[in-house]
Amino acid sequence: MNNLPDSRFWIPDEGTYNKIQKLKKYVAFIAGLPFSSDEDKQKASRIIFLIENINKPETFRSWNVCLDIFDRDIQYGFNKSKGIYWRTWSVYFEGDSLEIEASSKHTHDIFHYGDDFHYFGLIYFTKNIEYQRLFLETDIDEFVNDASNFNKYITESLNDIEIDIVLL
């Protein structure tokens, strides 16, 4: 195995690298939640290592870390009231892109509802692209801070919390 960089991938500049490093705090937060298993903690530790080495394409592996709050009764139609049935914070690294999103899903088909926090970020690692490589609505710290305060979104019915830490 050679240690030459994979020429298919873009190496993040220092500014982008530093922005991505902010996601380590998010991953550590999710892994530190009381309902995180020992296996989740181990995967999170490995994902933090991968984030630290995001400037080395030879370390690229697919992974995701998600925190979700559901109202299953509204989501599945058992409760016919209208409202938010899913609140999610997710980070996906899949081969050639890093996607960061915080959103709410409402029974009305609307993109952004009320005063809920919405975030979308995307970074492409493919070397030769003809579109915007980096799109971050705001600083990644805002995403991390909102996820860290997920409790403010919990209501009497929007209260089923789930995490997903996947390392492929």
Side-chain angles (χ1 to χ4, degrees):
M1 176 169 158
N2 70 41
N3 290 327
L4 297 174
D6 189 326
S7 61
R8 297 172 296 161
F9 296 107
W10 168 75
I11 306 298
D13 56 80
E14 184 177 352
T16 304
Y17 175 84
N18 290 334
K19 289 175 185 177
I20 295 168
Q21 296 309 299
K22 296 176 180 187
L23 292 171
K24 295 186 299 186
K25 184 176 176 184
Y26 167 76
V27 175
F29 172 74
I30 301 302
L33 290 171
F35 35 86
S36 176
S37 70
D38 288 341
E39 182 183 359
D40 290 332
K41 290 173 180 35
Q42 290 172 356
K43 288 186 281 186
S45 176
R46 181 72 176 139
I47 290 168
I48 289 170
F49 170 83
L50 295 173
I51 293 170
E52 289 171 347
N53 289 280
I54 198 91
N55 58 348
K56 299 174 183 143
E58 61 273 13
T59 67
F60 285 5
R61 288 183 64 183
S62 293
W63 54 267
N64 67 274
V65 179
C66 304
L67 169 63
D68 300 292
I69 310 170
F70 297 98
D71 181 330
R72 306 274 186 194
D73 288 343
I74 291 178
Q75 183 179 16
Y76 297 129
F78 302 128
N79 178 341
K80 300 298 183 193
S81 38
K82 302 294 181 194
I84 294 174
Y85 63 86
W86 182 19
R87 179 84 183 118
T88 184
W89 297 264
S90 58
V91 179
Y92 290 88
F93 184 81
E94 296 176 334
D96 66 348
S97 65
L98 177 68
E99 184 175 326
I100 308 160
E101 184 174 17
S103 65
S104 297
K105 305 294 184 208
H106 195 280
T107 51
H108 296 291
D109 191 23
I110 51 181
F111 178 65
H112 184 46
Y113 183 76
D115 62 357
D116 63 328
F117 177 76
H118 177 82
Y119 184 91
F120 185 76
L122 188 59
I123 303 171
Y124 291 102
F125 288 85
T126 301
K127 190 170 196 171
N128 298 315
I129 60 173
E130 297 179 14
Y131 39 84
Q132 185 176 345
R133 176 172 304 288
L134 173 69
F135 176 80
L136 300 173
E137 284 185 337
T138 60
D139 192 283
I140 291 174
D141 283 333
E142 290 189 36
F143 168 84
V144 174
N145 291 337
D146 193 65
S148 298
N149 292 301
F150 74 95
N151 285 321
K152 71 181 181 182
Y153 295 101
I154 294 175
T155 66
E156 186 177 326
S157 60
L158 185 67
N159 60 12
D160 186 0
I161 303 167
E162 187 175 289
I163 64 167
D164 193 27
I165 302 175
V166 176
L167 178 61
L168 301 175

